[in-house]
């Protein structure tokens, strides 16, 4: 409940690694986030420090990320920030900033992307429903435009 949600904008730094695990698909990749600032002395934009985050994706997000992302592409990642520290015997301790991704997408401010909806094998075909007639008078049937009283429906007027 009290998790740190972040939204980072950067570039894919490593090729996504996809794995099938017992709990479902998982993928991870690194994202490089570089701050930019205005350098008054040179009157130009300059790059600041680069932060690297390991992004973890699970289930359908993992499958789609592995199929969609390549090194160098600009992305936006939203998720829960996890900072891990680890010490190993005889070695210096290290820290890692990970993002447990909720959403990943291409940054359309820096390019274009073509979206394709992922097909799930268990999806059943949905029967076609007629498009409602949005120009009906209040109280008319939404599909035929005829008065609702013919169908035993109460007339409803919304204001």
């Amino acid at each position: 409940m009290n998790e740190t949600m972040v939204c980072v904008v950067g570039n894919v730094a490593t090729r996504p690694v996809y794995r099938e695990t017992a709990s479902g698909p998982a993928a991870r990749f690194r994202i490089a986030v570089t701050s930019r600032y205005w350098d008054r002395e040179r009157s130009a934009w300059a790059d600041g420090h680069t932060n690297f985050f390991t992004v973890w994706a699970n289930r359908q997000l993992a499958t789609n990320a592995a199929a969609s992302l390549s090194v160098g592409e600009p992305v936006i990642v939203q998720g829960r920030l996890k900072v891990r520290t680890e010490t190993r015997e005889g070695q210096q301790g290290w820290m890692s900033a990970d993002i447990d991704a909720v959403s990943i997408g291409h940054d359309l401010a820096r390019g274009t992307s073509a979206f394709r909806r992922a097909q799930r094998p268990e999806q059943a075909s949905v029967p076609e429903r007629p498009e409602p007639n949005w120009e009906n008078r209040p109280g008319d049937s939404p599909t035929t435009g005829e008065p609702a009283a013919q169908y035993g429906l109460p007339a409803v007027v919304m204001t």
Side-chain angles (χ1 to χ4, degrees), residues 43-87:
S43 295
W45 286 98
D47 287 341
H49 179 73
T50 301
N51 291 308
F52 288 90
F53 299 94
T54 301
V55 178
W56 296 88
N58 295 302
R59 295 176 290 285
Q60 190 64 42
L61 181 59
T63 304
N64 294 343
S68 302
L69 301 179
S70 299
V71 174
E73 293 181 341
V75 292
I76 301 173
V77 176
Q78 181 182 13
R80 290 175 287 283
L81 179 65
K82 310 278 185 181
V83 178
R84 298 184 301 139
T85 26
E86 189 172 318
T87 55

Side-chain angles (χ1 to χ4, degrees), residues 3-157:
E3 297 176 297
T4 305
M5 296 296 290
V6 295
C7 182
V8 296
V9 178
N11 293 317
V12 177
T14 62
R15 181 181 56 81
V17 176
Y18 179 82
R19 300 264 193 272
E20 286 286 342
T21 65
S23 60
R28 75 171 192 278
F29 64 94
R30 302 270 288 162
I31 183 173
V33 180
T34 303
S35 63
R36 292 188 49 87
Y37 65 95
W38 181 255
D39 187 345
R40 290 182 186 171
E41 293 174 6
R42 294 187 299 163
S43 295
W45 286 98
D47 287 341
H49 179 73
T50 301
N51 291 308
F52 288 90
F53 299 94
T54 301
V55 178
W56 296 88
N58 295 302
R59 295 176 290 285
Q60 190 64 42
L61 181 59
T63 304
N64 294 343
S68 302
L69 301 179
S70 299
V71 174
E73 293 181 341
V75 292
I76 301 173
V77 176
Q78 181 182 13
R80 290 175 287 283
L81 179 65
K82 310 278 185 181
V83 178
R84 298 184 301 139
T85 26
E86 189 172 318
T87 55
R88 294 186 180 156
E89 203 172 306
Q91 294 181 358
Q92 183 178 359
W94 58 272
M95 293 180 70
S96 172
D98 298 351
I99 299 173
D100 185 13
V102 172
S103 181
I104 302 170
H106 286 108
D107 183 359
L108 298 182
R110 297 192 276 162
T112 62
S113 184
F115 180 80
R116 289 182 309 278
R117 188 170 301 280
Q119 295 296 320
R120 294 183 182 161
E122 69 273 358
Q123 271 184 333
S125 62
V126 177
E128 285 291 319
R129 291 186 281 179
E131 180 68 27
N133 181 359
W134 297 107
E135 297 177 8
N136 292 344
R137 295 181 314 270
D140 288 354
S141 167
T143 54
T144 64
E146 297 176 14
Q150 287 183 342
Y151 300 99
L153 301 172
V156 176
V157 177

